[in-house]
Amino acid sequence: KAGVTQTPRYLIKTRGQQVTLSCSPISGHRSVSWYQQTPGQGLQFLFEYFSETQRNKGNFPGRFSGRQFSNSRSEMNVSTLELGDSALYLCASSLAGGNGGYTFGSGTRLTVV
Amino acid sequence: AQTVTQSQPEMSVQEAETVTLSCTYDTSESDYYLFWYKQPPSRQMILVIRQEAYKQQNATENRFSVNFQKAAKSFSLKISDSQLGDAAMYFCAHLGPLGGSSSNTGKLIFGQGTTLQVKP
């Protein structure tokens, strides 16, 4: 079966712009989580969605937002981009809450210039 | 708050040998899940092995096994018969129980990672 698909794979944006990243989970998975990975901070949790509801949110500013659609696909949006937002953004999906292990996508590499 | 610590930034092993990666964690919950993920240069995080805290038996997956010490809050990964394809960054991660505190729902807490080099 198809894995977790993230688009685009690479993105270059200018400071002040906004960006939307997309994640299509494994068919049947209803939980989608997002993580930011940087060399300095490591892997940090952004938010988790289940059945179109945000169940948990990490410690990120309000510029970071997300949503989940009825088909479980998820998007995250970052507005007013800053240089420090440059990172690998990883999406992960699971059936319910991840206790069986989350399956990750290959990520979107965002570079802010 | 939950924390996960990997004290070995880098490890090296000879092909066909055995290596153990260390991980300690801190949590106030009695029920939780622990994972080891592998991230090769391709960037995709791959689940290596999982452990349920209420199970005393250590999990094994082919050449990969864990030593889970609940009282010591330790969760090490042993890779036997190391192969060149095992070279990657390895992350230890903690997940709280389903239906537990809302602040932990669906939230993996990762360690800083250990880069494993496999020498031919």
Side-chain angles (χ1 to χ4, degrees):
Chain A
K1 57 183 178 183
V4 178
T5 303
Q6 290 188 247
T7 56
R9 290 213 63 187
Y10 300 91
L11 207 48
I12 300 175
K13 289 287 187 178
T14 305
R15 269 183 303 175
Q17 288 187 313
Q18 76 166 20
V19 67
T20 298
L21 311 182
S22 179
C23 173
S24 293
I26 289 173
S27 178
H29 284 193
R30 296 167 66 189
S31 170
V32 175
S33 294
W34 289 88
Y35 294 83
Q36 181 195 65
Q37 185 176 22
T38 60
Q41 298 298 317
L43 283 147
Q44 294 187 287
F45 173 79
L46 281 156
F47 22 67
E48 189 257 1
Y49 288 88
F50 181 81
S51 292
E52 302 179 67
T53 300
Q54 185 183 87
R55 294 197 296 188
N56 201 355
K57 189 178 191 304
N59 190 25
F60 278 81
R63 301 184 297 106
F64 290 81
S65 63
R67 58 178 176 169
Q68 186 181 35
F69 302 95
S70 58
N71 62 357
S72 292
R73 189 177 72 84
S74 178
E75 289 181 346
M76 67 163 281
N77 183 277
V78 187
S79 62
T80 319
L81 284 165
E82 300 177 0
L83 295 179
D85 297 332
S86 294
L88 178 66
Y89 290 88
L90 291 166
C91 165
S93 75
S94 78
L95 282 170
N99 58 330
Y102 275 97
T103 302
F104 283 79
S106 296
T108 294
R109 172 77 67 187
L110 171 65
T111 302
V112 182
V113 297
Chain B
Q2 286 78 5
T3 59
V4 176
T5 302
Q6 294 177 248
S7 58
Q8 306 154 315
E10 294 180 356
M11 291 284 285
S12 179
V13 64
Q14 208 69 34
E15 195 176 4
E17 297 293 308
T18 296
V19 64
T20 299
L21 308 184
S22 301
C23 172
T24 58
Y25 59 94
D26 190 21
T27 181
S28 57
E29 297 163 326
S30 58
D31 188 23
Y32 48 87
Y33 303 87
L34 296 167
F35 306 91
W36 278 97
Y37 279 92
K38 167 186 176 182
Q39 187 178 40
S42 66
R43 310 181 329 200
Q44 185 164 11
M45 300 278 279
I46 301 165
L47 178 63
V48 175
I49 199 165
R50 67 184 282 271
Q51 175 78 42
E52 299 170 25
Y54 62 86
K55 288 188 177 179
Q56 292 189 343
Q57 186 174 7
N58 289 325
T60 62
E61 285 288 342
N62 301 313
R63 297 182 296 107
F64 299 88
S65 62
V66 298
N67 183 2
F68 173 50
Q69 301 290 327
K70 190 172 184 179
K73 295 181 180 175
S74 171
F75 183 60
S76 61
L77 174 70
K78 185 171 84 171
I79 306 174
S80 304
D81 186 25
S82 297
Q83 301 175 358
L84 295 177
D86 294 333
M89 180 164 277
Y90 286 81
F91 291 94
C92 176
H94 168 282
L95 179 72
L98 284 179
S101 164
S102 61
S103 65
N104 296 327
T105 300
K107 178 180 179 180
L108 281 165
I109 306 294
F110 287 92
Q112 304 93 315
T114 297
T115 299
L116 178 66
Q117 181 185 29
V118 181
K119 297 179 179 178

